[in-house]
Amino acid sequence: GTFVEVVSPDPRAAAIVFSEVRRIEGMLSKYRPGSEVAQLNQNGRVKASPEMFYIMEKSAGFWELSAGAFDVTVGPLMDLWGFTQKEFRQPSPDEIKETLKIIGTNKIILNFDNDTRYATKRVVLSWVPAQSFGSSLIKIIIYNLKIVVVLN
């Protein structure tokens, strides 16, 4: 989880910050069934909000610039190693090879009408870019209200 500490003379500050955290998590959490990320992971397609579509566009750009090192579809590989359920194991080379076939941000198709879908099944969007995006939105809000927030 993310640790958030809000320090401000404005009595509205904490409520504003945590309201935004809840809104972003409700949109981008892979663990909340109604979120866009969860819908995309479950159905392989979602009519993305402008914010979600923006994140996906930026993620694709970072994936390309990093030669695949930044990959928002790494979920199946994390599952394979046991990171998701905290049941760690070392998979076989064949398991890794097979799993690598189904990941890659290049397997996400972005259409200009905000329709976002996966080109292959079992691609799973992870939380990392969403968390960074959420932190950026919160920073904008707190800057405008002159609030000090610590995000860890």
Side-chain angles (χ1 to χ4, degrees), residues 28-31 35-45 52 56 59 70-80 84-85 99 101-108 117-129:
L28 301 175
S29 173
K30 71 178 188 175
Y31 300 109
S35 78
E36 292 177 58
V37 168
Q39 290 175 35
L40 182 58
N41 287 341
Q42 181 179 3
N43 304 324
R45 175 177 228 138
M52 169 75 165
M56 297 309 301
S59 295
F70 178 90
D71 191 351
V72 298
T73 68
V74 74
L77 201 54
M78 293 175 66
D79 292 344
L80 181 66
T84 306
Q85 300 298 325
T99 302
K101 291 178 184 178
I102 63 169
I103 67 170
T105 300
N106 61 325
K107 292 177 176 66
I108 299 173
R117 62 186 171 92
Y118 292 139
T120 62
K121 292 188 179 203
R122 290 196 59 222
V123 176
V124 176
L125 188 65
S126 71
W127 170 247
V128 175

Side-chain angles (χ1 to χ4, degrees), residues 10-150:
D10 188 329
R12 304 170 300 152
I16 291 169
V17 169
F18 287 109
S19 174
E20 186 65 2
V21 167
R22 281 189 299 277
R23 185 187 75 79
I24 293 166
E25 187 177 24
M27 177 177 54
L28 301 175
S29 173
K30 71 178 188 175
Y31 300 109
R32 292 183 182 252
S35 78
E36 292 177 58
V37 168
Q39 290 175 35
L40 182 58
N41 287 341
Q42 181 179 3
N43 304 324
R45 175 177 228 138
V46 71
K47 183 72 171 176
S49 67
E51 291 168 311
M52 169 75 165
F53 197 79
Y54 175 81
I55 290 170
M56 297 309 301
E57 283 184 311
K58 293 301 179 188
S59 295
F62 290 138
W63 180 84
E64 192 171 313
L65 286 171
S66 70
F70 178 90
D71 191 351
V72 298
T73 68
V74 74
L77 201 54
M78 293 175 66
D79 292 344
L80 181 66
W81 282 85
F83 291 115
T84 306
Q85 300 298 325
K86 294 188 172 50
E87 295 174 2
F88 309 109
R89 69 183 197 91
Q90 184 170 355
S92 72
D94 286 340
E95 288 176 305
I96 294 170
K97 185 178 177 182
E98 286 303 307
T99 302
L100 287 173
K101 291 178 184 178
I102 63 169
I103 67 170
T105 300
N106 61 325
K107 292 177 176 66
I108 299 173
I109 299 168
L110 302 172
N111 296 308
F112 289 106
D113 63 351
N114 287 6
D115 179 58
T116 301
R117 62 186 171 92
Y118 292 139
T120 62
K121 292 188 179 203
R122 290 196 59 222
V123 176
V124 176
L125 188 65
S126 71
W127 170 247
V128 175
Q131 188 174 12
S132 298
F133 175 74
S135 296
S136 296
L137 285 179
I138 292 167
K139 287 174 188 171
I140 291 167
I141 291 169
I142 63 177
Y143 176 79
N144 290 333
L145 291 175
K146 296 178 178 43
I147 302 169
V148 176
V149 175
V150 178

